[in-house]
Short mmCIF file of all heavy atoms in Angstrom, two decimals:
data_model
loop_
_atom_site.label_atom_id
_atom_site.label_comp_id
_atom_site.label_asym_id
_atom_site.label_seq_id
_atom_site.Cartn_x
_atom_site.Cartn_y
_atom_site.Cartn_z
N ALA A 1413 37.49 33.80 37.50
CA ALA A 1413 38.56 34.80 37.45
C ALA A 1413 39.80 34.25 36.77
O ALA A 1413 40.39 34.88 35.88
CB ALA A 1413 38.89 35.27 38.86
N ARG A 1414 40.22 33.05 37.19
CA ARG A 1414 41.46 32.49 36.62
C ARG A 1414 41.30 32.17 35.14
O ARG A 1414 42.20 32.44 34.34
CB ARG A 1414 41.88 31.25 37.42
CG ARG A 1414 42.44 31.60 38.80
CD ARG A 1414 42.93 30.37 39.54
NE ARG A 1414 41.82 29.59 40.08
CZ ARG A 1414 41.25 29.82 41.24
NH1 ARG A 1414 41.64 30.82 42.00
NH2 ARG A 1414 40.26 29.05 41.66
N VAL A 1415 40.16 31.57 34.77
CA VAL A 1415 39.93 31.26 33.36
C VAL A 1415 39.72 32.54 32.56
O VAL A 1415 40.24 32.69 31.45
CB VAL A 1415 38.71 30.32 33.23
CG1 VAL A 1415 38.33 30.15 31.76
CG2 VAL A 1415 39.02 28.96 33.83
N GLY A 1416 38.97 33.49 33.13
CA GLY A 1416 38.61 34.70 32.39
C GLY A 1416 39.81 35.55 32.02
O GLY A 1416 39.91 36.03 30.88
N VAL A 1417 40.74 35.76 32.96
CA VAL A 1417 41.89 36.60 32.64
C VAL A 1417 42.77 35.94 31.59
O VAL A 1417 43.35 36.62 30.72
CB VAL A 1417 42.71 36.98 33.89
CG1 VAL A 1417 41.91 37.90 34.79
CG2 VAL A 1417 43.19 35.76 34.66
N ARG A 1418 42.87 34.62 31.62
CA ARG A 1418 43.68 33.93 30.61
C ARG A 1418 42.99 33.94 29.25
O ARG A 1418 43.64 34.15 28.22
CB ARG A 1418 43.99 32.51 31.05
CG ARG A 1418 44.77 31.70 30.00
CD ARG A 1418 46.05 32.38 29.56
NE ARG A 1418 46.69 31.69 28.46
CZ ARG A 1418 47.39 32.28 27.50
NH1 ARG A 1418 47.56 33.59 27.49
NH2 ARG A 1418 47.95 31.56 26.55
N LEU A 1419 41.67 33.73 29.21
CA LEU A 1419 40.94 33.83 27.95
C LEU A 1419 41.12 35.21 27.32
O LEU A 1419 41.36 35.34 26.12
CB LEU A 1419 39.45 33.57 28.18
CG LEU A 1419 38.97 32.13 28.19
CD1 LEU A 1419 37.49 32.10 28.59
CD2 LEU A 1419 39.16 31.46 26.82
N HIS A 1420 40.99 36.24 28.15
CA HIS A 1420 41.12 37.61 27.67
C HIS A 1420 42.53 37.85 27.13
O HIS A 1420 42.72 38.44 26.04
CB HIS A 1420 40.80 38.56 28.82
CG HIS A 1420 40.58 39.97 28.40
ND1 HIS A 1420 41.37 41.00 28.86
CD2 HIS A 1420 39.67 40.54 27.57
CE1 HIS A 1420 40.94 42.14 28.34
NE2 HIS A 1420 39.92 41.89 27.56
N ALA A 1421 43.54 37.38 27.87
CA ALA A 1421 44.93 37.55 27.43
C ALA A 1421 45.18 36.79 26.13
O ALA A 1421 45.83 37.30 25.21
CB ALA A 1421 45.88 37.07 28.52
N ARG A 1422 44.68 35.57 26.06
CA ARG A 1422 44.89 34.76 24.85
C ARG A 1422 44.19 35.40 23.65
O ARG A 1422 44.73 35.40 22.54
CB ARG A 1422 44.37 33.34 25.07
CG ARG A 1422 44.52 32.41 23.87
CD ARG A 1422 45.96 32.27 23.47
NE ARG A 1422 46.10 31.46 22.27
CZ ARG A 1422 47.10 31.56 21.42
NH1 ARG A 1422 48.06 32.45 21.63
NH2 ARG A 1422 47.15 30.78 20.35
N ALA A 1423 43.00 35.95 23.86
CA ALA A 1423 42.31 36.65 22.77
C ALA A 1423 43.13 37.85 22.31
O ALA A 1423 43.17 38.16 21.11
CB ALA A 1423 40.92 37.09 23.23
N GLY A 1424 43.79 38.54 23.25
CA GLY A 1424 44.66 39.64 22.87
C GLY A 1424 45.83 39.19 22.03
O GLY A 1424 46.23 39.86 21.07
N GLU A 1425 46.40 38.04 22.37
CA GLU A 1425 47.50 37.49 21.57
C GLU A 1425 47.04 37.18 20.15
O GLU A 1425 47.74 37.48 19.17
CB GLU A 1425 48.03 36.22 22.22
CG GLU A 1425 48.68 36.44 23.58
CD GLU A 1425 48.84 35.16 24.38
OE1 GLU A 1425 48.63 34.05 23.80
OE2 GLU A 1425 49.17 35.24 25.57
N ARG A 1426 45.85 36.60 20.04
CA ARG A 1426 45.32 36.28 18.71
C ARG A 1426 45.00 37.56 17.92
O ARG A 1426 45.27 37.64 16.73
CB ARG A 1426 44.06 35.42 18.86
CG ARG A 1426 44.32 34.02 19.42
CD ARG A 1426 43.01 33.27 19.63
NE ARG A 1426 42.33 33.06 18.36
CZ ARG A 1426 42.44 31.95 17.60
NH1 ARG A 1426 43.20 30.95 18.01
NH2 ARG A 1426 41.78 31.84 16.47
N ALA A 1427 44.43 38.55 18.60
CA ALA A 1427 44.09 39.80 17.92
C ALA A 1427 45.34 40.50 17.40
O ALA A 1427 45.33 41.13 16.34
CB ALA A 1427 43.31 40.71 18.87
N ALA A 1428 46.44 40.40 18.17
CA ALA A 1428 47.69 41.05 17.75
C ALA A 1428 48.20 40.47 16.45
O ALA A 1428 48.80 41.18 15.64
CB ALA A 1428 48.73 40.92 18.85
N ARG A 1429 47.97 39.18 16.22
CA ARG A 1429 48.41 38.56 14.97
C ARG A 1429 47.61 39.10 13.78
O ARG A 1429 48.10 39.12 12.65
CB ARG A 1429 48.27 37.04 15.04
CG ARG A 1429 49.21 36.40 16.04
CD ARG A 1429 49.45 34.95 15.71
NE ARG A 1429 48.24 34.14 15.82
CZ ARG A 1429 47.92 33.44 16.89
NH1 ARG A 1429 48.71 33.45 17.96
NH2 ARG A 1429 46.81 32.72 16.92
N VAL A 1430 46.39 39.55 14.04
CA VAL A 1430 45.52 40.05 12.97
C VAL A 1430 45.71 41.54 12.76
O VAL A 1430 45.85 42.02 11.63
CB VAL A 1430 44.04 39.74 13.29
CG1 VAL A 1430 43.13 40.31 12.21
CG2 VAL A 1430 43.83 38.24 13.45
N PHE A 1431 45.73 42.30 13.86
CA PHE A 1431 45.67 43.75 13.78
C PHE A 1431 47.01 44.44 14.05
O PHE A 1431 47.12 45.65 13.88
CB PHE A 1431 44.62 44.29 14.76
CG PHE A 1431 43.24 43.81 14.45
CD1 PHE A 1431 42.66 42.81 15.21
CD2 PHE A 1431 42.51 44.36 13.41
CE1 PHE A 1431 41.38 42.35 14.95
CE2 PHE A 1431 41.23 43.91 13.13
CZ PHE A 1431 40.67 42.91 13.89
N GLY A 1432 48.00 43.70 14.53
CA GLY A 1432 49.28 44.33 14.81
C GLY A 1432 49.36 44.85 16.23
O GLY A 1432 48.85 44.24 17.15
N TYR A 1433 49.96 46.01 16.38
CA TYR A 1433 50.29 46.50 17.72
C TYR A 1433 49.10 47.11 18.44
O TYR A 1433 48.78 46.74 19.57
CB TYR A 1433 51.43 47.52 17.61
CG TYR A 1433 51.86 48.06 18.94
CD1 TYR A 1433 52.63 47.28 19.80
CD2 TYR A 1433 51.50 49.34 19.36
CE1 TYR A 1433 53.03 47.77 21.04
CE2 TYR A 1433 51.90 49.83 20.59
CZ TYR A 1433 52.66 49.04 21.42
OH TYR A 1433 53.06 49.52 22.65
N GLY A 1434 48.44 48.09 17.83
CA GLY A 1434 47.34 48.78 18.50
C GLY A 1434 46.06 47.97 18.42
O GLY A 1434 45.58 47.65 17.33
N LEU A 1435 45.50 47.63 19.55
CA LEU A 1435 44.30 46.79 19.60
C LEU A 1435 43.16 47.54 20.26
O LEU A 1435 43.35 48.28 21.23
CB LEU A 1435 44.58 45.51 20.40
CG LEU A 1435 45.74 44.63 19.92
CD1 LEU A 1435 45.92 43.46 20.85
CD2 LEU A 1435 45.51 44.17 18.49
N GLY A 1436 41.95 47.33 19.75
CA GLY A 1436 40.74 47.83 20.39
C GLY A 1436 40.05 46.72 21.16
O GLY A 1436 40.27 45.53 20.90
N ALA A 1437 39.21 47.10 22.09
CA ALA A 1437 38.51 46.11 22.90
C ALA A 1437 37.63 45.20 22.05
O ALA A 1437 37.49 44.00 22.33
CB ALA A 1437 37.67 46.81 23.96
N THR A 1438 37.04 45.75 20.99
CA THR A 1438 36.22 44.90 20.13
C THR A 1438 37.08 43.91 19.36
O THR A 1438 36.65 42.77 19.11
CB THR A 1438 35.41 45.76 19.14
OG1 THR A 1438 36.29 46.62 18.42
CG2 THR A 1438 34.37 46.59 19.86
N ASP A 1439 38.32 44.30 18.98
CA ASP A 1439 39.21 43.35 18.32
C ASP A 1439 39.44 42.13 19.20
O ASP A 1439 39.41 40.99 18.73
CB ASP A 1439 40.58 44.01 18.03
CG ASP A 1439 40.48 45.24 17.16
OD1 ASP A 1439 39.55 45.30 16.34
OD2 ASP A 1439 41.33 46.14 17.32
#
């Protein structure tokens, strides 16, 4: 749980650098 939520959040941070504001789950 602790690792998973941080991995997911960090992936969202990385995706935002690529796709901008609106993100999809696949991004």
Side-chain angles (χ1 to χ4, degrees):
R1414 287 183 284 275
V1415 171
V1417 292
R1418 176 55 186 147
L1419 275 174
H1420 194 240
R1422 179 60 184 153
E1425 296 164 10
R1426 293 176 63 95
R1429 293 203 296 263
V1430 178
F1431 298 103
Y1433 181 75
L1435 304 177
T1438 54
D1439 302 330

